[in-house]
Amino acid sequence: MFCHLGAVRRFCLEKLLLQWILQARALSGAEAINALRPFYFAVHPDFFGQHPREREINENSLKRLNGYLENLQKPGFKSFKPTQLTFYVREREQNSSSVQESFSASGFRAVSFTLHTRDLLSTVLDILNSCSLSTEHVQSLNANVNSQSHREVKGTFYRPIKWDKTYYSFTGFQDPEEELEQAQKVETTLIWQRSWGIAHRCSQLHSLGRLAQQSPEVLRNAKGHTVVFTDCSGMSAAGHVMLGTMDVHHHWIKIFEKLPSYYKLQKKVLLLEDRISHLLGGIQITYIEELQPLLTLEEYYTILDAFCNRLLNSRLPFHPRSLRGLQMILESDRYAPSLHELGHFNIPTVCDPATLQWFIITKAQQARENLKRKEELTVMEKELISASTEKFYLKQLYKEPSISRAQMIDCCKRLLEESLPYLQGMHLCISHFYSVLQDGDLCIPWKWKR
């Protein structure tokens, strides 16, 4: 009898141990998508525009693959049927050692394989191995499966406050709820994080257009938002919807479906900024995409939350509204505060509170002068760009983000002294080097010479 009970206990322990091992090496749906990015890049239908047959085959195979992956994530789903798939894979270097892969003269190869695995990790590895793609990144990805949980949003910040409307009218602060309502009334805007060529942009717009035809109800959530084509998907710290250019349609759909859940987090971010501003004498907390690294909304919330808790613990004696009109940005990669030439403070998230107080108070007047100078330069820059565009009959005159207003002003002043009839009808970009972009835009350095 005791032997029988020992065998049962041992069997249960072995079963629990097996379940623990399987859970430890399991991938989430998001992790699986990230691991399959090289595969999606190699088979994405948008890269087969001149090959309609191969494009259609990849589209149909991707739909079946996505259905298979979704079924794997359903709890208790056990009825798996082997799924045979065929993809045309874009090839950079043809590998003659693969005898089962047929190459075409167009630079892609046909790959067929059958899926019969019952977990995401095995499925991802089978797909990558079948297409002769590297699997090294999957191991590191699998090792960090649980690390994403640490980046999730924390609980509510210390003493959340919902101010009465009279508070905002009296102090002049922005009402977070009104800001969100106004933002949602604005039409959707499309922008690109990088200076991709016109062909690349058309491909991305074509993908979004196809998505709008297939799932028009999902895109309604994007109304009032700025949609940014970039390297990853989600919502940015600035509240923009980020669409990863390497992601496929069903991943974009999930982002649009998730947008309503981001609104609560946006309100928390705005309330945190308002709380920090109140603790620091009315200084405005802002996020400048051109000058800061790209942050997700979750990452930005975590930074604000940690900084707010530091201020609450230190109880800095700032006079109410004494710093109103000034601006500051939080940076996690700095250790000493600084004042930017555009007038805003660069404050490290780990800055010592006493050092922070002394620096802001002593630099406040200079910051106000820099902000006034910034306004003057902005007006002057706009006038000179308009004058230069009109004089040379340019279609567009713009600058790279790394070019300052002062540099742009100096460049335009010297341009207006010249006679340059051959610029008529061109797109002129003020940069640091001479070059011609893929789309035909002419780039000249701001310190150009005759």
Side-chain angles (χ1 to χ4, degrees):
M1 176 179 175
F2 291 104
C3 293
H4 176 69
L5 289 175
V8 172
R9 186 182 294 108
R10 185 166 57 252
F11 172 76
C12 293
L13 289 174
E14 290 176 352
K15 186 176 181 181
L16 290 173
L17 179 61
L18 178 61
Q19 291 177 351
W20 180 85
I21 293 174
L22 290 176
Q23 291 174 358
R25 67 188 189 90
L27 291 182
S28 67
E31 294 291 338
I33 293 299
N34 287 333
L36 286 174
R37 280 192 176 189
F39 164 75
Y40 287 132
F41 182 76
V43 303
H44 202 290
D46 288 345
F47 293 109
F48 292 81
Q50 299 180 353
H51 306 280
R53 175 178 172 274
E54 289 78 7
R55 177 192 182 97
E56 183 179 0
I57 290 175
N58 280 14
E59 285 181 344
N60 293 332
S61 295
L62 277 176
K63 290 179 182 179
R64 297 175 62 196
L65 173 60
N66 292 337
Y68 190 93
L69 294 176
E70 290 176 359
N71 286 335
L72 286 177
Q73 301 173 61
K74 293 180 180 178
F77 190 86
K78 297 181 179 179
S79 178
F80 285 95
K81 295 181 180 179
T83 302
Q84 185 173 3
L85 301 173
T86 298
F87 286 98
Y88 283 91
V89 182
R90 295 192 304 132
E91 186 73 357
R92 295 180 179 178
E93 296 180 0
Q94 295 185 2
N95 185 2
S96 58
S97 63
S98 279
V99 290
Q100 295 183 348
E101 298 169 356
S102 57
F103 291 95
S104 71
S106 301
F108 51 78
R109 54 192 167 92
V111 177
S112 297
F113 54 90
T114 301
L115 295 178
H116 50 76
T117 49
R118 292 178 177 268
D119 64 273
L120 285 175
L121 177 59
S122 300
T123 303
V124 168
L125 292 174
D126 280 358
I127 294 172
L128 295 175
N129 287 326
S130 299
C131 297
S132 301
L133 297 172
S134 174
T135 60
E136 294 181 359
H137 64 289
V138 181
Q139 302 301 327
S140 60
L141 186 64
N142 188 35
N144 296 323
V145 165
N146 296 324
S147 65
Q148 293 296 328
S149 61
H150 299 293
R151 298 172 61 187
E152 293 295 327
V153 180
K154 299 180 182 179
T156 56
F157 60 91
Y158 179 76
R159 290 183 63 196
I161 297 176
K162 182 174 178 62
W163 300 99
D164 187 83
K165 298 294 183 181
T166 55
Y167 166 79
Y168 298 104
S169 59
F170 177 75
T171 61
F173 294 148
Q174 294 293 327
D175 185 346
E177 293 185 358
E178 288 186 1
E179 285 189 346
L180 285 178
E181 291 175 1
Q182 293 175 1
Q184 293 171 7
K185 294 178 181 179
V186 181
E187 294 299 324
T188 304
T189 304
L190 299 177
I191 61 176
W192 282 261
Q193 185 189 9
R194 295 182 180 177
S195 300
W196 280 304
I198 189 66
H200 200 164
R201 295 191 179 196
C202 287
S203 175
Q204 294 158 2
L205 290 175
H206 179 69
S207 296
L208 188 59
R210 289 173 55 216
L211 177 61
Q213 293 177 352
Q214 296 171 2
S215 306
E217 68 286 349
V218 177
L219 287 179
R220 292 171 186 165
N221 294 335
K223 184 178 180 181
H225 289 280
T226 297
V227 176
V228 186
F229 292 100
T230 181
D231 295 327
C232 58
S233 297
M235 178 168 282
S236 70
H240 298 160
V241 181
M242 301 186 296
L243 297 181
T245 58
M246 304 300 292
D247 295 330
V248 291
H249 285 178
H250 86 278
H251 195 49
W252 285 5
I253 289 177
K254 290 183 179 179
I255 294 299
F256 287 120
E257 290 176 342
K258 192 180 178 181
L259 286 182
S261 66
Y262 279 114
Y263 298 155
K264 291 183 180 180
L265 183 57
Q266 280 185 294
K267 287 185 178 180
K268 290 182 179 181
V269 166
L270 292 172
L271 288 171
L272 264 179
E273 290 179 338
D274 181 72
R275 180 61 171 162
I276 294 173
S277 175
H278 179 73
L279 293 172
L280 295 181
I283 191 171
Q284 180 184 357
I285 315 301
T286 185
Y287 175 80
I288 306 176
E289 285 187 307
E290 296 81 5
L291 301 177
Q292 294 180 257
L294 183 64
L295 296 174
T296 64
L297 191 62
E298 294 88 345
E299 292 171 335
Y300 187 51
Y301 177 87
T302 301
I303 291 175
L304 288 174
D305 187 41
F307 187 73
C308 184
N309 287 331
R310 289 174 63 88
L311 293 179
L312 289 169
N313 293 332
S314 63
R315 301 182 180 274
L316 294 178
F318 279 100
H319 190 278
R321 295 184 289 171
S322 61
L323 300 177
R324 190 175 176 182
L326 299 181
Q327 300 176 350
M328 63 170 280
I329 63 176
L330 287 173
E331 297 189 352
S332 56
D333 57 348
R334 285 178 176 267
Y335 295 94
S338 63
L339 177 62
H340 196 275
E341 61 178 3
L342 298 180
H344 63 263
F345 289 96
N346 296 316
I347 304 300
T349 56
V350 296
C351 185
D352 175 67
T355 303
L356 171 65
Q357 181 186 19
W358 176 85
F359 185 82
I360 290 181
I361 292 177
T362 56
K363 298 289 184 178
Q365 183 58 35
Q366 184 180 346
R368 297 186 189 280
E369 294 175 358
N370 288 4
L371 284 172
K372 184 178 179 181
R373 177 61 176 164
K374 171 188 172 182
E375 295 176 359
E376 296 173 352
L377 291 177
T378 301
V379 174
M380 188 182 304
E381 179 189 40
K382 185 177 180 180
E383 293 176 350
L384 288 172
I385 290 176
S386 177
S388 300
T389 303
E390 182 179 352
K391 176 178 179 179
F392 302 115
Y393 298 98
L394 294 167
K395 282 191 174 181
Q396 184 183 15
L397 174 60
Y398 64 100
K399 66 176 183 178
E400 291 186 346
S402 58
I403 301 297
S404 67
R405 288 180 173 82
Q407 291 171 337
M408 187 66 174
I409 290 172
D410 177 72
C411 176
C412 289
K413 283 182 176 180
R414 292 188 294 112
L415 279 176
L416 289 171
E417 297 175 356
E418 302 293 328
S419 176
L420 306 170
Y422 41 81
L423 290 179
Q424 182 175 350
M426 298 190 67
H427 294 252
L428 184 62
C429 174
I430 308 304
S431 176
H432 293 282
F433 308 98
Y434 289 102
S435 64
V436 178
L437 300 182
Q438 181 182 2
D439 302 336
D441 290 16
L442 178 65
C443 298
I444 63 172
W446 69 274
K447 294 181 66 174
W448 57 270
K449 299 180 180 179
R450 293 182 182 178

